Amino acid sequence: IGATINNIDLIKKTIQKKNLYIKASGGIKSFLKFKKMIDAGATRIGTSSSLKIMNELKWTQRVTLFYQKKALI
């Protein structure tokens, strides 16, 4: 199953103000799940799908840029 948002949230609450990092790994195979883990508080990601995630990130950035330019017209 791997890391879940609830796992990350629980770890974040447990360590609170300590200077520790949270690594999420297992089952992170898409940019969407990667982003959700980072948004939940993970500071590091372990995945064997890094190339796929980076390609999805590039695509997401291109789409965002396209719509931003379109909004300026």
Side-chain angles (χ1 to χ4, degrees), residues 37-68:
M37 292 295 174
I38 295 297
D39 291 345
T43 52
R44 296 166 186 242
I45 301 292
T47 183
S48 59
S49 300
S50 57
L51 184 59
K52 179 181 181 287
I53 290 169
M54 294 307 291
N55 285 332
E56 289 177 12
L57 171 61
K58 286 180 193 176
W59 183 83
T60 302
Q61 289 173 331
R62 286 181 188 143
V63 170
T64 302
L65 185 59
F66 171 79
Y67 282 109
Q68 286 173 344

Side-chain angles (χ1 to χ4, degrees), residues 2 5-6 9 18 22-23 26-27 36 40 55 58 70 72:
I5 301 299
N6 290 336
D9 195 38
K18 297 178 180 133
I22 302 171
K23 180 180 178 183
K36 285 181 180 180
N55 285 332
K58 286 180 193 176
K70 197 168 186 166
L72 295 174

